[in-house]
Amino acid sequence: MPSIHAISTADAPSASGIYSQAIRAGETVYLAGQLPLDPASMQLETGIDAQIHRVFRNLDAVSRAAGASLAQAVKVTVYLTDPEHFSRVNALMGEYFFQPYPARTSVAVAALPRGALIEADAVLSLAASPANKEI
Ligand SMILES: C=C(N)C(=O)O
């Protein structure tokens, strides 16, 4: 039975509900969906590009708090309120993920908490150390 523990960091928005920022279960880290909130002010970023960057920066901060990095991401799910923004995600996501890229699912949704334009979550495999990733 793998050990399970919660990850918590002030470098990403605090959980605003009944969930943890991330849960490590054995060699797998499940990152909760991140909204584009500045962790210091808890205010929403303005505009889709700023929101995309903030979401991935927040996921990166939680990954680091788990002793990992986005280089170990094996699955990412992106939720967008406007499918027109998918092209911006593709344009900017490469600043945070490197080949071989994680598997990804992108979905358009009717609405997100706080009126956000984007939310994303991720699964990291600690077995996939950056050194093990074949570039
Ligand atoms: C922001 C979230 N991850 C939530 O409300 O579930």
Side-chain angles (χ1 to χ4, degrees):
M1 192 80 167
S3 66
I4 293 175
H5 67 268
I7 309 298
S8 178
T9 177
D11 294 334
S14 53
S16 54
I18 310 303
Y19 63 94
S20 299
Q21 289 171 313
I23 287 287
R24 177 174 172 172
E27 295 302 294
T28 305
V29 181
Y30 299 88
L31 305 181
Q34 279 293 330
L35 294 167
L37 299 172
D38 180 308
S41 66
M42 291 298 282
Q43 295 300 306
L44 206 59
E45 300 285 357
T46 303
I48 187 60
D49 282 18
Q51 290 203 7
I52 292 167
H53 282 299
R54 179 57 70 187
V55 159
F56 289 117
R57 282 193 200 117
N58 287 345
L59 288 173
D60 181 59
V62 180
S63 300
R64 289 173 191 279
S69 84
L70 290 183
Q72 291 159 293
V74 293
K75 179 71 199 298
V76 174
T77 305
V78 177
Y79 309 87
L80 291 167
T81 56
D82 183 348
E84 292 290 319
H85 292 152
F86 282 127
S87 60
R88 295 310 302 153
V89 173
N90 281 329
L92 299 176
M93 199 174 150
E95 296 181 27
Y96 301 91
F97 297 91
F98 304 96
Q99 291 184 335
Y101 297 129
R104 188 185 79 186
T105 301
S106 300
V107 292
V109 297
L112 288 166
R114 295 175 180 242
L117 301 172
I118 180 171
E119 180 172 353
D121 59 38
V123 179
L124 312 179
S125 171
L126 302 184
S129 79
N132 288 345
K133 269 200 157 184
E134 292 176 24
I135 308 278

